[in-house]
């Protein structure tokens, strides 16, 4: 269990760091409000009492209605930077754009990133949301060696 807790802590630290880097790419002049991280840890399945678990980091950004960029423009401008950072677009799993929003999916190692873009024009809130989901922690009985066991 200590190994899983350490592994989860590492996942949390990585997701939080990447999330902060992503949000830092948004021009401050366009941001009206940045929500706190609303993510947290979850059990991987109802079949498990405590472990394995995963973590997700999630923040919403409300843009200024009179800002220079729409949420869609920000997502478009952010995509090349994400790809330079190692995030690969995963279009195969993306759903068609809805009436009020669309989501772009990315992968980096075992992590996933969803960029949800809300497309309703002002006076509706101009919002873009980011969610990073970590891999599941490894169960000790899965036969996978611990990172410490070298």
């Amino acid at each position: 269990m200590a190994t899983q807790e350490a592994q989860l802590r590492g996942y949390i630290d990585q997701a939080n760091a990447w999330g902060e880097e992503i949000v830092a790419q948004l021009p401050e002049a366009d941001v009206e409000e940045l929500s706190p991280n609303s993510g947290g840890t979850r059990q991987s399945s109802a079949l498990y009492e405590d472990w394995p678990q995963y973590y997700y980091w999630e923040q919403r950004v409300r843009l200024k209605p009179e800002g220079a960029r729409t949420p869609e423009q920000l997502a478009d401008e952010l995509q090349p930077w994400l790809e330079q950072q190692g995030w690969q677009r995963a279009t195969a799993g993306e759903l068609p754009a809805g009436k009020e929003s669309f989501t772009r999916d990315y992968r980096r190692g075992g992590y996933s990133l969803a960029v949800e873009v809300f497309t309703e024009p002002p006076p509706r809130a101009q919002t873009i949301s980011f969610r990073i989901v970590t891999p599941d922690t490894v169960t000790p009985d899965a036969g996978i060696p611990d990172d410490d066991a070298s």
Side-chain angles (χ1 to χ4, degrees):
M1 184 149 105
T3 300
Q4 288 175 309
E5 289 174 0
Q7 185 180 42
L8 183 60
R9 183 78 243 154
Y11 288 165
I12 290 169
D13 292 345
Q14 184 64 76
N16 288 342
W18 282 341
E20 289 174 17
E21 289 173 5
I22 291 168
V23 171
Q25 300 307 305
L26 303 177
E28 287 184 34
D30 290 339
V31 176
E32 182 169 276
E33 181 182 1
L34 175 64
S35 73
N37 175 9
S38 62
T41 57
R42 298 283 185 267
Q43 291 176 341
S44 295
S45 167
L47 301 175
Y48 301 104
E49 188 172 321
D50 292 315
W51 296 96
Q53 294 182 7
Y54 68 94
Y55 173 78
Y56 72 99
W57 169 91
E58 184 170 16
Q59 281 194 290
R60 286 184 179 258
V61 180
R62 188 170 58 206
L63 304 175
K64 294 178 181 173
E66 70 283 352
R69 293 169 189 84
T70 66
E72 186 171 5
Q73 289 168 325
L74 279 176
D76 290 344
E77 291 174 12
L78 190 58
Q79 185 167 331
W81 181 85
L82 288 169
E83 291 170 350
Q84 289 172 354
Q85 301 304 306
W87 292 99
Q88 296 178 340
R89 184 94 183 263
T91 56
E94 293 178 357
L95 298 174
K99 188 175 182 178
E100 298 175 358
S101 69
F102 65 87
T103 302
R104 292 184 181 162
D105 294 326
Y106 297 87
R107 302 282 181 266
R108 183 174 181 179
Y111 293 76
S112 64
L113 165 65
V115 178
E116 187 173 9
V117 177
F118 294 86
T119 56
E120 287 194 280
R124 293 290 224 190
Q126 298 293 283
T127 306
I128 187 167
S129 176
F130 302 96
R131 183 176 51 258
I132 297 173
V133 179
T134 71
D136 290 350
T137 56
V138 177
T139 55
D141 58 353
I144 298 172
D146 293 341
D147 291 339
D148 304 346
S150 305

